Structure formats: C-alpha cells, structure tokens
C-alpha cells in the first residue's frame, strides 16, 4: 500500500513539474531585446562627422588630425555620414547630397581614396574608438548602375517610371522595392562587404523604418556572424530593438526640450520621461541630442532651437536614459546651419560647449548610473516644489549615483527637493562643489542653471 502511495505521489509530482512549471513560465517577465549589444557599447558616447564641412580639405586625411581631440573629449563611436559616391543626375546643389548614393561599394572621391578610408578606420581602432558609417538602404541615386541593371528592384509610378520615395521631395533619389528578394540579398551582401573588408563596427541606418523589419532582422543576424556590430536606426520605434538595432533616435526628447526651452512648459518633457521609463525596453538604447545633420539643416541652428536654454538642454541629453550625441562643430559653439549641398566649412573655436560635452562624456564612462540600457540606472523622479520650472531625478547603479537638477526657466528659483531617499555627500560635476543632501534639500537656481550631483 505504501509503495502504491509513493508511486502515485511521484506520478502526480512529475505531472506538476512538467505542466505546472510550464503554466507558471508564461507569467514570468521576458526581456524584449533579443540581440546582444557589443560589450563596449554599454557606456559609450557617439559623435557624428560631416566630412565635407569638417575641414577646408573635406577629406578623411584632414579629419584624422581631429581624432586626438575627440578621444580626449570622451568620444567612443565615430559616426561618418555617407562615404559613397554621389549621383550626378538630378543632383541638388553643386556638390549633391551624401544620401544620393551612386555606388554602395564605392568611396566618394571628394573625401579621398579607399586606402585613406582604411587608414582612418585603423587609426580610430588604434585609439580605442569605434566607427560606424551611414547606410542609405531606402533609395539610390538616379544614375546608380542598379537602376539600369535591375530596374525591377525599384518602385514605379502608374506610368512605370522611377520615382522618389512617395510623399517626399527627395527628387535626387529613386525608391527601392524591398518586395524583391534579390534586392534584399544585394543590400545584405553590401552591408557585410564593409564589415568584412574594412572592419567597420556597424551602421547608422537612414530612414530605417521605411525598410521592412524582417530585412533588418536577417541583416543583423548575418552581420553578427562576422563580428559583433553596433546598429543605430534613424527611427523611433519599439519593434526595431527586438532583433535588429542597438539604438534608435530620440526625436521626441529633442522636440520636448525645444518646447521646454522656448515656451518654458515642462509637461511634455515630464511625459517623455514617464514614457521612457514605462514603455522603452529596459535594454534598448536611445540616442539623445540637441543637434544632428537633419536638425541643423532643416530646423535652423541649435541657438535658435533652444535659445538661452541650449546648455541646459545639452546637459539634459547627457544625464537622461540614452547615449548622448555630439554633432560636428557643436563643441565649437556652431551657431548657424551648415549648408547641405555646398561647401560650408565649420569654424573651429573655443566654446564652453566643449567642456560640457567632455565632462558629461567622461562621467558617462565611469558612473554606472548613466550607462546605457540595462547597464544603467532607472530615472526616478525627485519631487520638488517648482515642478513647472525644475526637472529633478535620481539614477543609481552599483552604488554609483547621479542627481540632476535643471532649471528650465528664465527665473531665479528657490527650490525644495524631497530627497530623504537620496541622502549623502555629492560632488557637482561642473564646479566640484560638495553638496550634503538631507531629507529635504533647499537650493537657489539661477535662470537656466543646472546641477549634476554625482556619487561614485
């Protein structure tokens, strides 16, 4: 009888282990992001390079002389705008757009030779930095040989003619058709070509959301088989994180910072922070910025976009969840739009912006609270008595902590913060001043001023 009891017990226990655990597993939280980020990206920063406008020569060789300065500034990822030959047919301006690609496996002679490019890649790696290049997969130049060799790789008008991407005025390019498997293979092979042949570390994908998701998922898989790559999508969508991209743009932060600095209204910025915490996958990276080549050329310049609050906005991009970007010339106080289709050299000069980026970038490296994705600390709102003017929050990871306090108004503010859970001694990033944070903390903030209190 006892033997029968134990047999029945073991039988039912086995059924529980098989079916009970299976049932329970469906309620377990699952990590949304399935790709593996390159290990070196966990506390990385990024810098966008406009080769044409960077120096009077506008070449890879002349840009190379700036690498020691960028390394000292704390830059990790060098992102080059498209390096490929530019189409002549229907060209915009005298020099044309980088994003009108005539040969996906070629080098723009305006910038130098293939050997020059390889030397730049190798030099970046020797200095402990990484390089990604812009990839324009959605369209090509009108005179790209693919248009003659494979016209079926393109979308057409009702009359059967090539067309720019529908709804846009991109008259210098024609739109690809990703329903064609042969186009997908060609583009995947071209992506693999630059990783294999030149050892670049990944891509920034132009208008990534216009290209089918399953293309990107397969391309990422094939690229990772060569080496762990870093992929940045010019898009803002949750689904791209799952199997394709390490990082997406954060246009919404740019927009809310512009509202905050121009209209001095913080409701949209607060909503952004709430959505970031509650909707963005924990291990998804967001690129945070106050300027890039799109915003610089289409939206005026950062001084017009953010006014007196520009530096406050830059600091915000360096302490929120995400990877901060510096665009060519921002560190030199670039105060105008760079022309997009003509030569327009950046004026390199001393600027307080350089010190701001340098301090933020170096803090990013050493303070784990600011690391990217799951490696960093969650943003926790610190309540204050002037929440219509002051943003304050706390991030912590492995005993490292940051407590940013930013005045997004043109008024002097005496603010009281509820800091009983964040007590301790902090060092302010930009001044080195010591702050002792108690249960309640009272501070006087000058117009547009900011404090980044750090604990390591």
């Amino acid at each position: 009888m006892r033997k029968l009891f134990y047999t029945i017990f073991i039988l039912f226990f086995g059924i529980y282990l098989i079916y009970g655990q299976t049932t329970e597993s469906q309620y377990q939280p699952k990590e949304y992001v399935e790709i593996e980020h390159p290990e070196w990206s966990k506390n990385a920063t990024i810098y966008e390079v406009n080769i044409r406008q960077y120096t009077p020569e506008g070449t890879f060789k002349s840009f190379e002389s700036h690498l020691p300065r960028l390394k000292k500034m704390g830059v990790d990822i060098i992102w080059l705008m498209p390096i490929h030959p530019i189409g002549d047919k229907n060209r915009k301006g005298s020099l044309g757009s980088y994003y009108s690609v005539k040969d996906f496996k070629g080098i723009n002679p305006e910038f130098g030779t293939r050997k020059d490019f390889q030397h730049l890649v190798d030099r970046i790696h020797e200095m402990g930095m990484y390089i990604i290049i812009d990839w324009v997969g959605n369209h090509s130049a009108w005179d790209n040989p693919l248009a003659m060799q494979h016209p079926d790789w393109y979308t057409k008008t009702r009359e059967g003619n090539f067309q720019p991407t529908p709804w846009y005025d991109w008259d210098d390019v024609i739109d690809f058709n990703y329903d064609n498997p042969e186009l997908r293979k060609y583009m995947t092979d071209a992506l693999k070509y630059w990783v294999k042949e030149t050892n670049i570390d990944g891509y920034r994908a132009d208008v990534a959301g216009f290209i089918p998701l399953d293309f990107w998922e397969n391309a990422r898989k094939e690229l990772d088989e060569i080496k762990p790559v870093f992929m940045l999508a010019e898009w803002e969508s949750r689904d791209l994180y799952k199997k394709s991209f390490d990082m997406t743009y954060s246009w919404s932060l740019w927009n809310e910072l512009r509202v905050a600095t121009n209209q001095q209204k913080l409701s949209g910025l607060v909503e952004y922070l709430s959505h970031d915490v509650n909707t963005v996958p924990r291990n998804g990276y967001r690129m945070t910025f106050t300027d890039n080549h799109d915003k610089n050329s289409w939206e005026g310049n950062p001084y017009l976009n953010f006014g007196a609050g520009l530096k406050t906005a830059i600091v915000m991009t360096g302490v929120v969840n995400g990877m901060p970007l510096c665009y060519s010339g921002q560190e030199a106080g670039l105060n105008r739009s760079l022309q997009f289709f003509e030569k327009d050299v950046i004026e390199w000069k001393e600027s307080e912006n350089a010190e701001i980026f340098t301090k933020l970038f170096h803090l990013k490296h050493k303070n784990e609270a600011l690391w990217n994705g799951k490696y960093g600390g969650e943003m926790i709102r610190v309540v204050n008595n002037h929440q219509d003017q002051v943003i304050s929050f706390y991030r912590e990871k492995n005993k490292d902590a940051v407590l940013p306090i930013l005045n997004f108004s043109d008024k002097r503010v005496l603010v009281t913060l509820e800091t009983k859970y964040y007590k301790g001694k902090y060092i302010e990033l930009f001044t080195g001043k010591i702050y002792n944070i108690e249960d309640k903390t009272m501070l006087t903030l000058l117009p547009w001023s900011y404090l980044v209190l750090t604990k390591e």
Side-chain angles (χ1 to χ4, degrees):
M1 192 68 167
R2 180 177 296 175
K3 185 176 180 181
L4 177 63
F5 172 79
Y6 281 124
T7 301
I8 294 172
F9 173 79
I10 291 171
L11 177 64
F12 277 98
F13 185 68
I15 292 172
Y16 168 76
L17 288 177
I18 295 171
Y19 294 100
Q21 285 193 348
T22 302
T23 302
E24 290 300 317
S25 68
Q26 68 183 299
Y27 300 110
Q28 298 301 315
K30 295 179 178 63
E31 174 59 61
Y32 182 79
V33 177
E34 295 182 13
I35 58 171
E36 290 288 332
H37 301 302
E39 194 278 336
W40 51 262
S41 72
K42 64 186 179 184
N43 60 345
T45 63
I46 186 167
Y47 185 93
E48 182 184 6
V49 181
N50 187 330
I51 289 287
R52 175 184 289 165
Q53 316 300 18
Y54 215 87
T55 63
E57 301 84 356
T59 63
F60 298 130
K61 281 185 177 179
S62 57
F63 166 67
E64 211 172 293
S65 65
H66 286 260
L67 290 177
R69 175 180 64 80
L70 297 176
K71 176 67 175 179
K72 185 177 180 181
M73 196 168 88
V75 171
D76 299 299
I77 302 173
I78 301 287
W79 152 28
L80 300 187
M81 291 170 67
I83 62 170
H84 309 298
I86 294 170
D88 295 300
K89 185 177 180 180
N90 297 329
R91 172 177 285 199
K92 291 189 175 184
S94 64
L95 296 178
S97 168
Y98 303 125
Y99 294 88
S100 177
V101 176
K102 193 173 182 178
D103 178 2
F104 288 99
K105 293 185 180 179
I107 293 286
N108 184 351
E110 176 188 344
F111 300 155
T113 66
R114 168 67 177 269
K115 184 178 179 181
D116 296 334
F117 176 70
Q118 188 64 64
H119 192 275
L120 175 61
V121 173
D122 294 343
R123 182 67 182 129
I124 287 170
H125 287 158
E126 287 168 7
M127 298 181 68
M129 295 185 287
Y130 301 85
I131 178 170
I132 65 174
I133 63 173
D134 226 315
W135 189 256
V136 190
N138 177 69
H139 47 261
S140 80
W142 285 81
D143 47 357
N144 189 307
L146 296 177
M148 291 291 291
Q149 297 165 2
H150 303 283
D152 55 321
W153 289 6
Y154 292 84
T155 66
K156 304 291 198 314
T157 64
R158 288 187 177 184
E159 294 76 24
N161 300 320
F162 293 119
Q163 63 176 347
T165 300
W167 293 85
Y168 278 95
D169 63 349
W170 301 344
D171 300 332
D172 57 341
V173 298
I174 47 177
D175 189 60
F176 278 128
N177 179 9
Y178 273 82
D179 288 341
N180 191 306
E182 291 181 353
L183 169 65
R184 290 183 176 222
K185 184 178 189 310
Y186 172 86
M187 279 297 182
T188 304
D189 288 344
L191 285 164
K192 290 160 64 176
Y193 170 83
W194 291 99
V195 176
K196 283 182 179 178
E197 299 300 323
T198 68
N199 198 29
I200 63 167
D201 300 294
Y203 293 94
R204 177 263 189 191
D206 188 60
V207 289
F210 282 16
I211 297 173
L213 180 61
D214 59 342
F215 167 81
W216 289 124
E217 290 179 347
N218 178 70
R220 175 60 183 261
K221 176 179 176 292
E222 294 197 31
L223 287 168
D224 274 343
E225 289 171 355
I226 303 169
K227 66 181 285 189
V229 293
F230 184 85
M231 299 290 284
L232 163 62
E234 189 209 10
W235 210 249
E236 193 166 11
S237 177
R238 180 188 179 97
D239 58 358
L240 293 176
Y241 290 120
K242 193 174 185 70
K243 296 181 180 180
S244 309
F245 289 91
D246 300 275
M247 186 161 73
T248 69
Y249 273 45
S250 188
W251 278 309
S252 49
L253 176 62
W254 180 88
N255 186 63
E256 295 304 342
L257 284 172
R258 192 164 67 155
V259 171
T261 53
N262 283 279
Q263 301 178 23
Q264 299 182 44
K265 294 180 179 179
L266 296 189
S267 56
L269 186 53
V270 169
E271 183 175 3
Y272 169 88
L273 297 171
S274 175
H275 282 218
D276 185 278
V277 169
N278 291 294
T279 70
V280 175
R282 185 72 184 90
N283 201 24
Y285 297 0
R286 307 185 82 176
M287 187 175 75
T288 57
F289 53 87
T290 54
D291 201 13
N292 62 56
H293 72 270
D294 283 338
K295 297 307 180 187
N296 184 273
S297 60
W298 294 352
E299 304 285 350
N301 64 59
Y303 287 87
L304 292 177
N305 287 332
F306 301 100
L310 173 61
K311 292 181 177 61
T312 316
I314 291 174
V315 171
M316 186 70 169
T317 65
V319 294
V320 294
N321 177 44
M323 183 187 296
L325 165 76
C326 180
Y327 174 57
S328 301
Q330 248 193 304
E331 72 272 37
L334 183 67
N335 61 357
R336 60 183 176 80
S337 297
L338 294 174
Q339 293 189 51
F340 207 71
F341 311 114
E342 308 291 344
K343 186 68 175 175
D344 187 14
V345 181
I346 296 166
E347 179 186 357
W348 292 103
K349 57 186 179 181
E350 296 294 323
S351 169
E352 187 183 354
N353 287 1
E355 181 184 5
I356 293 173
F357 279 114
T358 299
K359 286 185 176 294
L360 288 170
F361 284 6
H362 283 282
L363 181 65
K364 177 90 171 183
H365 291 158
K366 64 184 180 179
N367 191 305
E368 292 187 36
L370 294 181
W371 287 11
N372 300 316
K374 68 180 181 182
Y375 303 103
E378 180 181 314
M379 296 182 295
I380 301 171
R381 189 174 196 178
V382 175
V383 175
N384 68 68
N385 65 336
H386 284 282
Q387 294 188 160
D388 58 337
Q389 295 171 294
V390 176
I391 293 282
S392 50
F393 58 95
Y394 179 83
R395 301 180 68 185
E396 182 178 4
K397 187 76 171 187
N398 294 336
K399 298 184 179 179
D400 288 349
V402 291
L403 174 57
I405 306 160
L406 305 100
N407 182 11
F408 279 94
S409 78
D410 58 4
K411 304 290 191 298
R412 182 175 178 271
V413 180
L414 178 62
V415 64
T416 301
L417 301 101
E418 301 291 338
T419 49
K420 64 180 179 179
Y421 297 115
Y422 317 114
K423 294 187 289 187
K425 187 172 87 170
Y426 292 76
I427 301 174
E428 207 286 315
L429 177 65
F430 298 101
T431 64
K433 184 178 177 181
I434 303 297
Y435 285 78
N436 289 303
I437 301 302
E438 304 293 346
D439 285 359
K440 288 184 181 294
T441 303
M442 294 183 63
L443 299 167
T444 299
L445 301 176
L446 299 176
W448 306 114
S449 66
Y450 43 82
L451 300 172
V452 178
L453 306 184
T454 69
K455 190 163 58 171
E456 298 165 12

